[in-house]
Amino acid sequence: MTTKKTLSLLSLATAATLALGACSSGNAPAPAASSASPAPALSISEPWVKAASSGMTAAFGTVRNGSGKDITITTVTTPASPMAELHETVMNPSGGMQMRAKEGGFTIPAGGELKLEPGANHIMLMKLAKAYRAGDEIPFELKASDGTALSFTAQVKDFSGAKENYAPGGDSGEHSGHGGEDHSGHAQPTTSPAK
């Protein structure tokens, strides 16, 4: 083989190698795009409402703050009740527990959560629009002081763990969503028919 033929073959081999390299670089996987989306500012897990035939009930769940700043929920609305409020359970001067509207709303720390539970913080529904039975679904919207909003649907469940023991001759049973507390701190609903 002559030197000229050898050089030609080497040139062809080099060109083929470069061409293959160029092809393979076109098939290289693209850099992984960031698929992580930012956490929502507010989210809720396992929302539920205690079944009730009339009067009052309450909604529960765990609200999470996925943002980097504290968020204060100030209002709640739902078509299930014209009087939905954020409630807390506190000790009254006589040592009993009572529920009342949470002044200033619920503040959830940055990256933290707030549990809404029977006998503790909860969403109070008064003057129920109708009877709610297990399996029904109720939409809610929470709004925060900074404009953040959270819409969710809670499923109605039977719950036997929050039976009320009312004072004899006392409550009419409208507080069936609560468990064993003194309801003297509630803003009492009017007895006139809802308009």
Side-chain angles (χ1 to χ4, degrees):
M1 185 178 291
T2 64
T3 304
K4 192 173 181 179
K5 283 186 177 178
T6 303
L7 287 175
S8 292
L9 288 174
L10 282 175
S11 294
L12 284 172
T14 302
T17 302
L18 289 174
L20 287 174
C23 288
S24 65
S25 68
N27 295 331
S34 175
S35 60
S37 56
L42 287 176
S43 61
I44 188 167
S45 60
E46 300 180 12
W48 64 282
V49 177
K50 179 178 173 156
S53 58
S54 64
M56 298 182 174
T57 190
F60 313 100
T62 300
V63 183
R64 291 187 174 79
N65 176 358
S67 77
K69 61 180 182 179
D70 294 355
I71 294 179
T72 300
I73 297 169
T74 54
T75 61
V76 56
T77 56
T78 173
S81 168
M83 291 183 65
E85 296 180 348
L86 307 173
H87 274 205
E88 64 178 346
T89 304
V90 297
M91 185 173 290
N92 63 26
S94 63
M97 300 303 291
Q98 69 180 47
M99 287 172 274
R100 66 184 182 193
K102 174 67 173 170
E103 192 171 324
F106 294 141
T107 298
I108 306 172
E113 66 180 32
L114 172 71
K115 291 189 175 187
L116 303 175
E117 304 172 302
N121 294 324
H122 58 278
I123 296 170
M124 187 72 204
L125 307 178
M126 295 168 274
K127 294 185 176 181
L128 288 177
K130 64 174 193 171
Y132 288 97
R133 295 184 171 80
D136 290 345
E137 293 186 335
I138 300 177
F140 288 87
E141 184 172 64
L142 300 177
K143 287 188 179 174
S145 57
D146 67 354
T148 302
L150 170 64
S151 297
F152 64 93
T153 299
Q155 188 169 39
V156 177
K157 298 181 178 181
D158 287 325
F159 182 62
S160 61
K163 294 289 186 190
E164 292 284 29
N165 292 319
Y166 300 108
D171 200 290
S172 64
E174 289 187 320
H175 296 72
S176 59
H178 297 303
E181 294 91 353
D182 171 11
H183 292 74
S184 59
H186 272 307
Q188 295 297 315
T190 63
T191 54
S192 60
K195 295 182 180 176

